[in-house]
Amino acid sequence: MSLSRRDFLAAAGTGAVGSLIGSAWGATQTVDSITQVDNPLKSYPNRDWEQVYHDIYSYDRVDWTVCHPNCTQSCALNFYMKNGVPIRAEQIYHEEEGSPGPGSPGGYEEAGVSRHWNPRGCMKGLTLHRRTFEPSRIKYPMVRKGWSPDDPNPEGRGEDEFERVSWDEAIDLIAEKMASLEDEKRFHIFNAIKADGLITRHGAGRRLASIFGGCEWTEYDWYADLPPGHVITTGYQTSDADASAWRAADYTIMQGKNLIHNKLADNHFLQETRERGGKMVGVYPDYSPTVQKCDRWLPVRPGSDPAFALGMAHVIIDEELYDEEFMRKFTTLPLLIRQDNGKYLRAHEVFPDHEPPAEDSEERHEENDWGDFVMLDENGDPVPVTREEVGDEMGATPQLEVDTDVSLADGGSVAVHTDFVRQKSNIMENYDPETVEDITTIPADALRTTAREFADAEKAQWFTGEGINHWFHSNDSLQRTIFFVQSMLGNIGERGAGYYNYSGQYKIELLDGYPSYVNPDGNAAHGMYPGYAFAFFGGEQLDAHEIRGDFDRELDLVPQGDAEEPVVPTNAESYTMSKPTILWTMNCNLLNQTKHQEHVIENFVKHPDTSNELSIVSDMHMTYSARHADIVLPVPSWLECDYPDITVGPENPFIHMDHGVMDSLYDTKQDGEAVALVAEKLDEKIPPEERNVDSYRAYFDKFLDDDKDVRDYIQQTLDAGMTTRDIDVEDIEDGPERLQLKTYPRIPFYSQINEDRPFYTKTGRMEFHKEEDRFLELGRADLDHIESPEGTPYGVNKKWDEAKDEENPLYHDEEYQFYFNTPHPKYRTHSSWGMTDWNLIWASRDFGSTNADPEGTERLVDDFSFPQGEGETEETPPLGEAFVEMHPEDAADIGVENGDYVRISGKRGDLVVRVMISERQRPRSAGDMGQLTIWHGWWPQHFPDDEENDDSVKGYNVTTNIWLDPAQETDDLVHKSVFGDPNISEEVEDDIVWKGAELEHGYEETVWAPTGTNRDDLVEVEKYEEADWWPGDARKDELFQDYVSGSLQGGDS
Amino acid sequence: MPETYNPQLGREHSYPYEHRDEERDWHWGMIININRCINCNTCSFACKSTWTSGKGEEYMWWMNVETEPYGGYPMGWDMRLLDDLGDDETIFEAAEDGEKVKGYIAQKEEWEYPALGDDQVHGEYPTGDVVESDLENDEYHDMWQFYLPRLCNHCKNPACLAACPRKAIYKREEDGIVLLDQERCRGYRKCVKSCPYHKPMYNPETGVSEKPVGCFPRIEEGNVPRCVSSCIGKTRLHGNINRGPDAGHPGGNTSAAAGRSPVNYLAKSDEKIALPLYPQFGTRPQVFYMPPYHVPPEFLTQMFTPNTADKQNEWPGSTFEESIKIVQDRVRNPSHHTLGILQLFGATTRLIETYTVKENRVKGWDRKGNKVVDMPFEEEMEVREGEMWTNQP
C-alpha cells in the first residue's frame, strides 16, 4: 500500500480546482475577443471551429471483426481506423448507411434475423483496441531463467525472471521435450473455451494432442460451472434457448442468475418480457442487480435453493395445478419403480415373452440395451413401454398415481409405485411451504403466491446460473426439481417456456463438424480428468475422500489409485489419469480461476516432486498463469490476427468469423501457427516409425505452406457438420450467418415435445427418479434438499429433518462467519479486460479512479508494462483495486468502515482486501450467516500484500474448495453421446454423422464427469487495517436522508 | 432580464437571452427507458472512445450511468443543488448578484470516482419478508436502486450558455445542439459551475472547458448519437423533439408518414410517458426518461417533476406525485402504440423522423422520407421440416 496516494489525495482535496486555474488565466490575459456575439441562443457568427470535432470523429477506413471472449455471446464490431490504428469500435447494425461493415451485404440482416437483434456488443468490445495496446501485453517469446529441459526447477515458478528468446528457440525447446517423452499421454493441452478459436487458434492445440497421442483438458472440468442436473434429467448437456425466445414468456423466475450482468448483449430480450405483460420474480440471497427488474424478490439463504423449487412443487401438487397429459407423455412420472431396490421395473420382469436386455454390461450402451419399462394403463393393467413410445406414440394412457403390487413373470410379485407417487410423497411430507420457509427463509405465503402465479401463466421460464452451479447440491437437486416443476406445468419445448442455464462453455456443441477437425482420421486426444489433478498431482498426501468431504469412505469411487497406476473407469478407456509432463495452456488463465488456489500453486505448480516438467502458456497478457510458466508464447489480439477463425454462442443463432483489422504490435503468432511449427519440428526429431501418424506436419501444412489456405480447415469443418454444411467461408467472411437448427429461435427439446422424439435418457423421458447405483448409494436418487457439505451452519450433507438440529463443526464462531460469494463480473469476462484501463476503473467501483492513484494513467503505461524482458514489474494496481462487499451491520460489528482492509480467512487460505459497505449483501441478522461478495476475475495485483504472511497466494479464490461430487464420478449415466448422433442418425448422411468425440460411454468431458468442483465455503473476517485513502460516500452526506425520501426540495416536502 | 415561458414548469421565468420567435423545425431530443437499462455503461464507453480519450480528458465521462441513490458523477451533484434552491425556484431566479445562474463548483475529489455506488442499493434487507412491487395497490420496492444514464440535455434554456462571460457557448440554429467554441473559450469555467447536470468539464491540459457535442458530426449525417446507437439495452430513441402532430411528410415524400416524430409522441402526446430530469432547475432539458416503475414515487417526483405543491403544467394528474404514478403505470403497461414505438429503440443507426404503428408492424422514415425501419413486433417462429434437424446437435 502506498502512502503517497494518501498524501496526494489530501493535496488534491484542498487544492481542488484552484490548482488548475493558472494556465487558463494566463491565456485569457493575452487574447482579445474580436468576434462580436449578440445572442448565442439564436445564432453564432463563426462556426468554422466546429471542424475540430469533425476531425476527431473522422477516420480513414472501417474494418470489422468479432469480439468473442468467454461470455459466450460473440458480437460483430466495426473498428474505425486512422493511420492504421483502431480509434474506436461501434456495433454492427443491419446493413445501412452509417454502419459500413461488415462488407456487403452485411450486418445481421443476411443472417436472417430481424432488427430486434440490433445492436450487439458491450463496453468490453468497445475497449478491445485499448486492451490490445495495454501494457500487460506479452511482447515476445520468453523462457523462465530458472528452467532448463533437464532441471525444471519448479520452485522458481512465479518468481524467476524471464529472458527473451526467438520463436525458433521456443518452438525447438517445446518440440525437443515432446520428442523425449516416453509416453505421449504425458503431453497435455489445456484449452479453455474451445469454440472461440476453433480452427486456426487453440483448436489446433487439441488437433496436435490428438495426432500426437496426448491428452486434452478443458476449463469446464477445471473451473467447472456446468449444470449436471440437466444431464441427469434430460441426458443433454444443458438446455438453452436463443435469447429472442425469452421475450415470449408470461412469467420468469430468475434464481441465482445475474443475467443483467453476464449476458449483456442480448439481455434486452429479457427486459422486454415485462413491457409485454410478463412478470418477473427473483430468488437471490443478495439484492442482485437483476432484482431491480423483478416484480418480487424472494431473499433466500445461500445454498438452500433446492428447497425453494421443492416448495414450488409442493404447492403445485397440493393444489393440483399440474398438467397430467404432459407428465404422462414426456416424463418418467407414470413409470413403475420397484420399491425393493429402487430400479425401474422392466418389461421382461413382468411379461414372460418380452425380450430381456443384453447380459453383458460392457455392451449395454446401445439403444434399448437397458430393457423396456412398465406402466399401468387406465384399467390398472401393466403395459410395456419402450423408450421410443413417448408423446403421441404411446399406446396407453397410463396412471400417474400407482402404489401397488405387480405379479412378476417368475411367479413372484413386487411392490411398485410410479415415479410421481415417489416424488409426490416425499415432497408432500418434507417440503410444505412452512418447512421450506425454515430452510430458505422465504416466507411461506410469498412462496404460495409465486407458485400459483407461475402455474397460472401460459408460458413460464426459469433461469439458474453459474452462482448456483458452484453449490454442491444446487447444481444437481435444484436443477432436477426445476425440470420437475416445468414438466408438471408443460413448460418445455415452446417459445417463452423452459429451463435455462447459460453457464459453461458448451458453445462447441452447436458446431457438430468440429470433431472432424480436432480428431482427424480417428485420432482423438485422451480425455483428462483435471479435477483429480488437484488431489493426485498435489505434493501433499491428500486423501481423495478428504478432498471430497465427509462422505462414506467405503464408497467405491471410480478413479482410485495414484498417478502412476491410475484406475480407469469401465467403458472410459479414453480417459487417462496420467500426470502431465508437459502442460501447454492456451486461451485460459487457469491459475487465476482455479479454486483452492494456494494448494494448486504450492503443489500442482511449484512442488519439486509433483509438478510437471514444462509449463507453456500462450496468452495475450502477462497473466497470473503466464507468470508461473516456463515458456511464455505471445499471441495476437483478435484485432491483430493473421488468420480468421469461427465462433458460435449458446444464446444466439449466429456463426461468426473474425479476422484482424491491424498489423501486429509485437512478435506474436496465433496458436495455430505455433502448433504447426511444433509439428514441423516433431517430424524432424521423431523418426517415422515412432510417430503416432505418418507426419505431424501434414496436419498443419496449410499454416506452413505459402500456396495453401488455412480457411480450408474452416470450410472442411463447416462441411462436416449438420448445423453448418450449407455455409461457405465466403458467406461468413461477409458477415454472420445463422446456424441450421431445427427451429429459429432455438427452443430446447422442440422435437421431443412437438415431434415425439425421445429424450437422451434410458427411458426416453425426462427422468426424475434415477436408478443408477451411485445415486441410490448416495441417497440422491430422488428430488431432495441436502445441506452443503461445508457451507452451512446446520448438519452437513444431510437432508433437512436431520440437518436442522445439528450444527456444522466448522460453524464455530457465528459472530464472524460468512458465506463467500464470487459472482461473475460485469466489466470483465472472468479475468480478461482485468487490466484494461477504463474497465478497471469501473470494475473497481468506489475505488476506481484515474486520479486516485498518484500517477494515474502514467503509472499504467510506465510501471506496469511487465514484462520488460527481464521480468521486472511493479505490482501496484493502477487505477483501482479489489474489494469485498459487506453489509453495514456486519461491518460495524467488527469496527470496519467503507474502504478499510479486512482479512478473510477460510479453511484453505486467507486474503486481505478492502471493504465496500453494501446494503445489498445479506446480513447475519437475516437468520443464519452473512454473505461476503467479491466479484470474480480480479488479478492478484489488485489485492494488497498481507504483511504478516508475505508468501501467501493472493486472489479471490484462495479460500474456496475443490470438492468433487461423487455422484458425478460415475460412468453409467446414460446421456446423449451414448446414442451416437442424436436420435436422427438414419436421416443424416453417413459421412457427416458425428459419432461423438470417441468418448461415447460413461464419462464425457464437459458433459458428464465431475463438471463442478464446488465452492460452498465458510469464511471468517477480521479487521486488518484502516483505509489509507477512501472515496466519498453519498450516504454520509447530511443531505442524503432528505434526498432519498424525496423531501430535499419542492412543494411536497 | 427577459422572461421565457417554460412549459415543463407551466410558468414564465427569467432567462438571460431572448428566445427565437418561433421554435426550430428540428431540435435534438432523446428518450431513455430506464426500465430497460442494465447499467452496462456501453454508452459511456462509446462516448468516451469517440470524444474524450485525449490528454487532460482522463477523468471526463460526458456520458455516464449512475446507480441511484448512491451514485453521482460528480458526487452529490443533484443533492447539492436541490438543497440550494427554494421551492419553485429555478437556477436563473436563484442567481446571486453578479451571476447569471445559481450553481456550484464540484470539488476535484467529487469528480474522481465515475463508478461510485455502481449497482448498490438503498434500504433494509427484508429479513423474513419479500420486496415487492404492485402498482395497482400502490406498492413499490422498499429496497431499491435504479440506473440513471446521464448526459448533456441540450437544454432549451441552457445554463452553460447563459453563464458564459465570453458568449463562447451557443445553440445551433439547425438542430438546437449546444456547443462550446473551443477556440473562443478562455477557461473561466462559468459553464462548469452553472450547468446543473455538470456536463461541461474543464481540461487542465488545454486550459479550456469542453462540453458534450450531441454527436453533431453524426447528426449531420443522419445518424443517432453514439450513446444511442451503442445501447445494447435498447433503452434509447433519438430524434426531432420538435416535430409535432401537425408536421407534414418528411422531405415532402408522401410515401412516408406525416405527423409527429416518435420521440415527440413519447414526450409530448396525451400518452406522455417520458419526463425530463429535474425540470425544476428551469433549463428545459431535452432528454426525457421513462421512469422506473418499481421505485417509490416520492423520490421520482423530486427527480422528474417540478415537485411543487401547486401543479401548474399540463402533465397528467392533479399533483406531480400523481403524474409520476400515471406515467409509471404507462411504462409498466404500455399501450399497443407505445409498444410499437418501443420496437424502434435500437433498431437502426439512422435518425427516425416519422413512423407508423399498424397492427403488429412498425415502420420508420428518415428526414428525407426514406424508409429506414420496417419490422414486426415479434419475429416469426421458423421450423425446419425433416427429422435430420435438431436443436440439440
Side-chain angles (χ1 to χ4, degrees), chain A residues 827 841-849 898 916-917 1029-1037, chain B residues 39 41 61 64-77 79-80 109-121 146-147:
Chain A
Y827 298 110
I841 287 171
W842 284 81
S844 301
R845 304 300 208 282
D846 290 13
F847 311 109
S849 157
N898 203 26
M916 191 165 91
I917 299 298
W1029 66 276
W1030 52 88
D1033 181 349
R1035 278 165 278 218
K1036 291 185 174 170
D1037 198 302
Chain B
N39 194 26
N41 274 293
W61 295 84
N64 72 296
V65 184
E66 294 166 7
T67 305
E68 288 293 334
Y70 293 139
Y73 168 79
M75 189 179 81
W77 62 273
M79 279 196 273
R80 209 75 66 234
E109 66 268 26
E110 292 172 327
W111 286 104
E112 295 263 318
Y113 310 99
L116 186 76
D118 192 79
D119 291 327
Q120 290 301 307
V121 67
F146 64 91
Y147 302 132

Side-chain angles (χ1 to χ4, degrees), chain A residues 950-1026:
Chain A
D950 285 346
D951 299 333
S952 63
V953 170
K954 293 192 291 179
Y956 56 94
N957 256 334
V958 294
T959 75
T960 53
N961 72 53
I962 51 176
W963 285 350
L964 301 176
D965 183 348
Q968 294 164 26
E969 298 173 300
T970 64
D971 65 344
D972 58 356
L973 186 88
V974 169
H975 59 281
K976 198 194 88 181
S977 64
V978 171
F979 304 95
D981 199 64
N983 302 323
I984 55 174
S985 22
E986 286 169 23
E987 300 290 332
V988 180
E989 294 154 37
D990 199 49
D991 60 336
I992 60 167
V993 168
W994 179 29
K995 305 245 174 13
E998 303 300 322
L999 298 169
E1000 65 265 42
H1001 300 313
Y1003 290 119
E1004 185 182 8
E1005 59 170 351
T1006 76
V1007 177
W1008 184 253
T1011 52
T1013 54
N1014 305 279
R1015 61 178 171 200
D1016 315 25
D1017 205 1
L1018 294 188
V1019 296
E1020 294 165 44
V1021 61
E1022 60 184 333
K1023 185 168 179 173
Y1024 175 78
E1025 195 176 293
E1026 289 201 351

Side-chain angles (χ1 to χ4, degrees), chain A residues 13 16-17 20-21 24 28 31 35 37-44 47 49-50 54 57 89-91 93 96-97 114-116 118 121 123 127 247 260-261 268 274-276 278 285 287 289 292-297 299 495 509 722 738 740-744 746-747 749-750 752 757 760 826-827 842 845-846 849 851-852 885 916 918-920 922-923 976 984 1032 1035 1037 1039-1040 1043 1046-1052, chain B residues 17-19 24 34-42 45 50 61 68 70 78-80 82-83 86-87 107 109 112-113 116-121 125 129-133 141 143 145-147 167 169-174 179-181 184 186 188-189 202 218 220 226 229-230 232 234 280 293-294 299 302 307 309 332 334 343 346-350 376-379 381-384 386-393:
Chain A
V17 178
L20 303 174
I21 290 176
T28 326
V31 177
T35 309
V37 181
D38 177 26
N39 179 348
L41 193 64
K42 288 184 177 174
S43 65
Y44 194 72
R47 289 173 48 186
W49 77 272
E50 289 179 8
H54 280 286
Y57 187 74
E90 296 186 10
Q91 291 93 336
Y93 274 78
E96 58 201 345
E97 197 184 339
S114 74
R115 285 165 184 269
H116 291 288
N118 288 348
M123 89 326 257
T127 52
R247 194 165 64 175
I260 195 175
H261 280 175
H268 64 88
R274 300 192 315 282
E275 59 204 39
R276 292 168 181 238
Y287 188 107
Q292 169 196 113
K293 306 301 186 192
C294 292
D295 297 287
R296 181 183 301 136
W297 169 34
R495 178 159 61 170
E509 190 75 9
M722 278 299 289
R738 222 172 67 191
Q740 296 156 352
L741 297 168
K742 179 72 189 173
T743 66
Y744 172 76
R746 180 181 180 220
I747 309 296
F749 309 123
Y750 180 88
Q752 277 69 14
R757 313 303 303 172
Y760 310 102
K826 169 173 57 170
Y827 298 110
W842 284 81
R845 304 300 208 282
D846 290 13
S849 157
N851 300 314
E885 294 187 36
M916 191 165 91
S918 165
E919 283 103 314
R920 66 179 204 84
R922 185 174 171 92
K976 198 194 88 181
I984 55 174
R1035 278 165 278 218
D1037 198 302
L1039 303 173
F1040 184 76
Y1043 172 69
S1047 60
L1048 193 52
Q1049 179 256 4
D1052 291 340
Chain B
Y17 293 105
E18 289 276 359
H19 275 255
R24 291 163 172 79
I34 287 176
N35 295 278
R36 282 184 176 183
C37 179
I38 58 176
N39 194 26
C40 61
N41 274 293
T42 307
F45 282 44
T50 308
W61 295 84
E68 288 293 334
Y70 293 139
D78 50 347
M79 279 196 273
R80 209 75 66 234
L82 287 169
D83 186 48
D87 287 354
Q107 298 299 296
E109 66 268 26
E112 295 263 318
Y113 310 99
L116 186 76
D118 192 79
D119 291 327
Q120 290 301 307
V121 67
Y125 190 91
D129 201 355
V130 303
V131 167
E132 178 132 31
S133 159
H141 284 189
M143 187 180 188
Q145 57 163 194
F146 64 91
Y147 302 132
K167 296 183 181 176
I169 300 178
Y170 59 96
K171 197 165 181 64
R172 303 213 310 179
E173 290 177 64
E174 67 270 33
L179 289 183
L180 191 163
D181 185 337
R184 190 175 172 84
R186 291 293 171 263
Y188 297 121
R189 292 167 296 109
Y202 179 75
R218 292 174 60 87
E220 289 169 1
R226 289 286 290 123
S229 68
S230 69
I232 47 177
K234 294 168 98 74
Q280 58 268 58
Y293 46 73
H294 293 319
F299 185 82
Q302 176 178 275
N307 199 22
R332 182 69 184 94
Q343 307 316 304
T348 173
T349 54
R350 304 296 290 164
F377 280 31
E378 187 71 68
E379 289 186 308
M381 172 114 174
E382 296 174 31
V383 180
R384 273 176 214 270
E387 291 189 346
M388 70 285 277
W389 302 110
T390 178
N391 276 347
Q392 287 86 229

Side-chain angles (χ1 to χ4, degrees), chain A residues 259-295:
Chain A
L259 196 88
I260 195 175
H261 280 175
N262 57 31
K263 284 287 173 281
L264 291 167
D266 303 318
N267 191 283
H268 64 88
F269 285 116
L270 179 72
Q271 308 309 332
E272 287 177 59
T273 62
R274 300 192 315 282
E275 59 204 39
R276 292 168 181 238
K279 188 161 182 165
M280 200 154 106
V281 170
V283 184
Y284 302 91
D286 56 345
Y287 188 107
S288 161
T290 303
V291 170
Q292 169 196 113
K293 306 301 186 192
C294 292
D295 297 287

Side-chain angles (χ1 to χ4, degrees), chain A residues 73 117 158 192 199 284 303 335 497 502 564 585 801 825 882 926 991 1010:
Chain A
Q73 286 167 102
W117 285 89
I199 313 294
Y284 302 91
L335 298 191
Y502 301 104
E564 297 306 318
T585 303
D801 57 350
D991 60 336

Side-chain angles (χ1 to χ4, degrees), chain A residues 494-760:
Chain A
E494 64 176 321
R495 178 159 61 170
Y499 169 30
Y500 318 129
N501 215 274
Y502 301 104
S503 59
Q505 48 186 310
Y506 69 98
K507 295 165 42 155
I508 189 64
E509 190 75 9
L510 297 172
L511 271 168
D512 52 352
Y514 177 66
S516 76
Y517 176 72
V518 293
N519 301 331
D521 303 329
N523 297 291
H526 300 278
M528 179 51 200
Y529 210 10
Y532 278 93
F534 297 126
F536 288 97
F537 305 149
E540 290 175 58
Q541 290 302 307
L542 286 168
D543 182 330
H545 294 278
E546 194 67 38
I547 281 281
R548 277 175 210 107
D550 196 20
F551 287 99
D552 181 355
R553 286 167 178 271
E554 300 307 308
L555 193 63
D556 181 25
L557 295 166
V558 178
Q560 285 177 336
D562 61 22
E564 297 306 318
E565 288 190 45
V567 176
V568 175
T570 310
N571 287 325
E573 288 85 354
S574 55
Y575 266 86
T576 179
M577 290 297 300
S578 74
K579 176 181 155 185
T581 299
I582 303 170
L583 176 61
W584 189 349
T585 303
M586 297 174 179
N587 192 43
C588 178
N589 190 355
L590 86 167
L591 297 182
N592 203 56
Q593 259 78 280
T594 187
K595 296 160 189 172
H596 200 168
Q597 215 163 12
E598 198 161 317
H599 164 71
V600 171
I601 295 292
E602 282 177 14
N603 297 315
F604 181 66
V605 176
K606 299 177 80 160
H607 198 287
D609 299 334
T610 52
S611 66
N612 55 55
E613 294 176 18
L614 172 57
S615 169
I616 310 155
V617 169
S618 301
D619 208 310
M620 254 180 89
H621 302 278
M622 203 65 196
T623 61
Y624 192 52
S625 306
R627 286 172 59 201
H628 285 83
D630 304 319
I631 297 180
V632 176
L633 300 177
V635 302
S637 91
W638 292 312
L639 300 183
E640 302 166 311
C641 284
D642 290 333
Y643 311 117
D645 212 336
I646 55 174
T647 178
V648 293
E651 49 73 64
N652 66 66
F654 309 117
I655 176 169
H656 287 91
M657 187 158 86
D658 65 20
H659 56 88
V661 302
M662 60 183 280
D663 295 335
S664 285
L665 293 172
Y666 306 116
D667 187 14
T668 53
K669 288 188 193 301
Q670 283 175 228
D671 292 325
E673 191 182 351
V675 162
L677 291 169
V678 168
E680 189 171 49
K681 275 267 164 62
L682 288 174
D683 276 0
E684 295 168 17
K685 293 177 185 288
I686 301 177
E689 64 276 13
E690 291 176 24
R691 293 177 199 156
N692 200 37
V693 294
D694 292 342
S695 160
Y696 298 113
R697 184 191 194 280
Y699 286 90
F700 299 98
D701 58 353
K702 297 186 203 319
F703 288 99
L704 301 169
D705 296 338
D706 287 343
D707 58 342
K708 291 179 176 151
D709 186 350
V710 292
R711 293 180 310 166
D712 292 347
Y713 290 132
I714 296 173
Q715 188 63 59
Q716 287 162 14
T717 304
L718 298 177
D719 293 343
M722 278 299 289
T723 62
T724 51
R725 63 173 171 172
D726 296 330
I727 297 173
D728 290 330
V729 163
E730 287 76 23
D731 297 336
I732 46 178
E733 235 163 15
D734 289 337
E737 294 280 332
R738 222 172 67 191
L739 290 171
Q740 296 156 352
L741 297 168
K742 179 72 189 173
T743 66
Y744 172 76
R746 180 181 180 220
I747 309 296
F749 309 123
Y750 180 88
S751 303
Q752 277 69 14
I753 303 306
N754 295 282
E755 296 178 349
D756 302 325
R757 313 303 303 172
F759 281 85
Y760 310 102

